[in-house]
Amino acid sequence: MNRLVMIAILALSAIGVAAQTGHKAPDNQYKANMESNTIKIAIEGGRTFTATLVDNSSTQALRELLAKGSITVEMEDYANMEKVGSLGVRLPRNDKQTTTGPGDIILYQGHNLVIYYETNSWSFTRLGKINNASQADLKAALGRGDVTVTLPLE
């Protein structure tokens, strides 16, 4: 078979698969983030962190949500150890007994996003961990009381 014809057939096949599955080609930044498995977390007041996600069906669903646009979560302080707020949607759960630490990002009850700045142990779904942030950094950025956190589409 002619090399040019073979390339054309492969290209058309790829387009057909993308059309059948409803997938569109991601932009370069989105593709880079998904390959590195990282997301941004922008905290009200100007502090932005990078977090590395674990590999499970919960984070896959979260990444699919982020592909559609940024997610903003109104978070409340709970028990002086975490910030928690509803995502507004349910994600698949992968709960197992987990001990958290500062910077851990957890899915609780399938719809609550939790950012820990202290430790806790419970049956949670681990989503990831904020990179290179100390407990003091997290407490300073998250502040006291309620805070707005955005997972920007970048």
Side-chain angles (χ1 to χ4, degrees):
M1 194 181 291
N2 179 319
R3 183 177 241 188
L4 186 56
V5 171
M6 186 177 245
I7 292 170
I9 290 170
L10 288 173
L12 289 173
S13 295
I15 291 168
V17 168
Q20 289 175 0
T21 61
H23 288 93
K24 60 181 181 178
D27 66 17
N28 289 339
Q29 182 63 49
Y30 175 74
K31 185 177 178 183
N33 285 349
M34 294 308 97
E35 288 173 359
S36 67
N37 224 19
T38 61
I39 60 170
K40 299 281 186 195
I41 298 176
I43 299 174
E44 176 182 23
R47 190 76 192 265
T48 299
F49 295 99
T50 301
T52 301
L53 299 177
V54 298
D55 185 17
N56 62 33
S57 61
S58 306
T59 57
Q60 180 61 39
L62 179 63
R63 290 189 312 233
E64 289 170 7
L65 271 177
L66 287 171
K68 297 174 186 174
S70 299
I71 299 170
T72 299
V73 181
E74 301 295 327
M75 303 185 91
E76 299 175 1
D77 195 78
Y78 179 78
N80 294 316
M81 67 179 163
E82 66 189 51
K83 298 293 182 180
V84 61
S86 178
L87 288 167
V89 298
R90 290 202 173 272
L91 301 179
R93 292 170 69 166
N94 291 281
D95 292 348
K96 60 181 160 181
Q97 188 64 31
T98 303
T99 299
T100 65
D104 282 336
I105 304 167
I106 299 293
L107 178 68
Y108 179 63
Q109 296 183 334
H111 66 95
N112 289 305
L113 182 71
V114 184
I115 301 174
Y116 277 89
Y117 56 89
E118 292 286 348
T119 60
N120 191 21
S121 185
W122 198 259
S123 184
F124 299 122
T125 296
R126 185 176 298 279
L127 295 176
K129 186 165 185 82
I130 296 174
N131 302 327
N132 304 318
S134 70
Q135 182 180 38
D137 292 337
L138 292 167
K139 283 184 174 183
L142 293 168
R144 296 182 184 267
D146 299 350
V147 66
T148 301
V149 173
T150 302
L151 308 178
L153 175 67
E154 290 188 330

